Amino acid sequence: MAEQKRDYYEVLGVGKGASDDELKKAYRKLAKQYHPDLNPGDSVAESKFKEINEAYSVLSDTSKRQKYDQFGHAGVDENGFGGGPGGFSGSYDFGDLGDIFGSFFGGGFGSSRRRRSGPQQGANLKYGMTLEFMEAAFGVDRDITITKEDICSSCKGSGAQAGTTPETCPTCRGAGRIQQQTQTLFGMTMVTKDCPTCQGRGTVIKNPCPSCSGKGRKLSKKQIHIHVPAGVDTGDMMPIRGEGEPGSKGGAYGDLYVEFKVKKHDVFTRNGQNTFCDVPLTLAQAALGGEVQIPTIDGPVSFMVKEGTQPGDTHVIRGKGIPNKNSSTVRGDHTCKFYIEIPTRLTEDQKNRLRAFDSSLTERNYEKRSGFFKKMKDIFTK
């Protein structure tokens, strides 16, 4: 009696209404978790990997998914897409899976189903770094510590105990691949697959390294010195070449990507390379004009406020913004916006003086006010 298959949606951990993006996201996560390259010698992981591939190949295909939703496993098995509990047989398109695994392992499956026998680049890593506003503006040097999978220092990546070496696999005789005859709807077909004894490596380890349990790599901490250039902003990512995880079969290390998040500042805001701030004025400063100090990221700058400055008026200082991260000599602009702070907690004497001053003013002193009431009068006298 054939083994009962699990529901494909259950295999991928998604609901029946899952979108294509949700299916692909779930598949990526599970495929990376159970991929044979990351679980050498683990038959359970290999079985799960095949099950995940089978589920995704059906649910990612609109036609197959419709048949599966209507008839279950029978709807796709009868069309030759199921290959029994051991996996798939016959025609199978790895095109989409190639794109996915390319992002994980630097290579991937192709629609031609070629073996990934050459060197494969290691996985890329990401590190989140939070910066103060001024650190992002002018750059900073940081030492960070990351935890990553790296080549085992005891066995130098061979996976074999010191004094021993991996031996040629007796099943595939070092080829890493075996041929298997499989019955399909089109007759007997010869299928080439990874050797189940050595998982495609071509060698077996009889005396595993005790430090890494024969994996050839282990988790380790590494301190890295990073120079953050001036001008970075939230969401920017800086690559550190070769600081990712080691490749397989002699492949190069992956890269480390540092992603920045910039804290808010008490005085300044920014939009790209341009900075902004609000500057308070007293009633007298706004009415009479005078010298004020405008804050910039380089320090305060003296500025003569013109007589009759209004709330919301702005002043732009060229070249006092954030440096360009690709050319620190090029900088954005700094814009300050003025607002009038109305005095509070006035004494009776101050209030009387203010009333007397207000009484001395005429409409000619308030251009915007007189214009506003004229518009109001025109509206309501029509």
Side-chain angles (χ1 to χ4, degrees):
M1 183 176 179
E3 181 182 347
Q4 183 67 35
K5 292 184 181 180
R6 283 205 299 155
D7 178 74
Y8 286 151
Y9 292 102
E10 179 186 344
V11 171
L12 296 181
V14 298
K16 287 192 174 182
S19 66
D20 291 342
D21 287 341
E22 289 172 331
L23 284 171
K24 184 173 289 187
K25 183 177 180 181
Y27 173 70
R28 283 173 177 265
K29 179 179 179 181
L30 292 171
K32 186 176 183 182
Q33 180 180 352
Y34 293 108
H35 194 275
D37 283 358
L38 300 181
N39 301 276
D42 189 337
S43 59
V44 174
E46 182 180 3
S47 178
K48 284 184 176 293
F49 182 69
K50 291 179 179 178
E51 185 181 42
I52 293 161
N53 280 337
E54 180 178 340
Y56 182 72
S57 73
V58 171
L59 298 184
S60 62
D61 185 291
T62 303
S63 176
K64 296 177 190 177
R65 184 174 179 178
Q66 288 176 347
K67 292 176 182 177
Y68 177 75
D69 288 343
Q70 186 174 3
F71 302 109
H73 291 291
V76 289
D77 284 346
E78 66 185 9
N79 288 320
F81 296 110
F88 287 82
S89 304
S91 177
Y92 185 56
D93 183 10
F94 282 89
D96 187 41
L97 303 188
D99 294 338
I100 294 173
F101 281 100
S103 64
F104 288 148
F105 304 107
F109 299 98
S111 57
S112 64
R113 303 178 65 181
R114 66 176 182 271
R115 179 192 172 197
R116 296 185 295 116
S117 58
Q120 304 297 318
Q121 182 175 328
N124 296 327
L125 302 176
K126 187 167 76 172
Y127 180 91
M129 179 182 291
T130 300
L131 300 172
E132 297 293 339
F133 188 93
M134 291 300 186
E135 289 178 329
F138 294 109
V140 67
D141 287 294
R142 287 275 188 90
D143 288 321
I144 66 171
T145 300
I146 62 172
T147 300
K148 66 173 184 176
E149 191 176 69
D150 209 342
I151 293 175
C152 174
S153 58
S154 299
C155 66
K156 304 298 187 292
S158 71
Q161 187 176 9
T164 67
T165 57
E167 299 180 6
T168 301
C169 174
T171 302
C172 65
R173 297 181 181 180
R177 305 279 276 177
I178 61 171
Q179 288 190 327
Q180 185 178 57
Q181 200 173 42
T182 304
Q183 177 67 49
T184 71
L185 291 176
F186 306 102
M188 299 299 293
T189 301
M190 191 67 70
V191 177
T192 301
K193 57 186 291 186
D194 282 343
C195 172
T197 302
C198 65
Q199 284 75 49
R201 293 189 299 269
T203 58
V204 293
I205 300 171
K206 289 190 175 181
N207 299 295
C209 169
S211 180
C212 64
S213 301
K215 293 183 177 180
R217 52 183 68 192
K218 57 189 294 188
L219 288 178
S220 62
K221 290 185 177 181
K222 182 175 182 180
Q223 188 177 75
I224 303 172
H225 180 77
I226 293 178
H227 173 69
V228 180
V232 299
D233 202 355
T234 295
D236 285 347
M237 297 186 71
M238 182 175 72
I240 311 296
R241 303 300 181 192
E243 290 295 353
E245 293 187 340
S248 59
K249 300 177 183 177
Y253 273 77
D255 301 324
L256 171 67
Y257 288 85
V258 181
E259 183 175 17
F260 301 109
K261 179 181 179 181
V262 181
K263 289 183 178 181
K264 292 183 178 180
H265 195 273
D266 292 337
V267 175
F268 304 110
T269 58
R270 67 179 287 186
N271 182 7
Q273 291 179 242
N274 298 320
T275 53
F276 306 84
C277 74
D278 293 334
V279 178
L281 299 177
T282 66
L283 282 172
Q285 285 175 321
L288 303 176
E291 185 176 1
V292 297
Q293 296 294 307
I294 295 178
T296 74
I297 61 174
D298 296 307
V301 174
S302 295
F303 177 69
M304 290 298 296
V305 178
K306 68 179 181 180
E307 182 178 319
T309 294
Q310 300 297 311
D313 284 354
T314 60
H315 175 64
V316 179
I317 306 177
R318 303 297 180 188
K320 282 293 184 179
I322 303 289
N324 186 299
K325 56 179 173 283
N326 297 316
S327 178
S328 59
T329 58
V330 179
R331 298 181 59 169
D333 300 328
H334 179 62
T335 301
C336 65
K337 183 169 68 174
F338 300 107
Y339 67 94
I340 313 301
E341 183 174 9
I342 305 302
T344 60
R345 297 186 292 274
L346 299 175
T347 65
E348 282 302 317
D349 180 58
Q350 290 170 330
K351 291 178 182 179
N352 290 332
R353 290 171 180 268
L354 188 56
R355 291 187 186 103
F357 171 72
D358 189 55
S359 299
S360 70
L361 299 175
T362 65
E363 290 299 322
R364 66 182 298 274
N365 297 115
Y366 294 105
E367 293 181 7
K368 291 184 179 180
R369 182 173 181 273
S370 60
F372 172 78
F373 283 109
K374 184 180 183 302
K375 291 177 183 178
M376 291 289 291
K377 183 179 179 180
D378 292 341
I379 291 173
F380 292 105
T381 55
K382 288 182 179 179

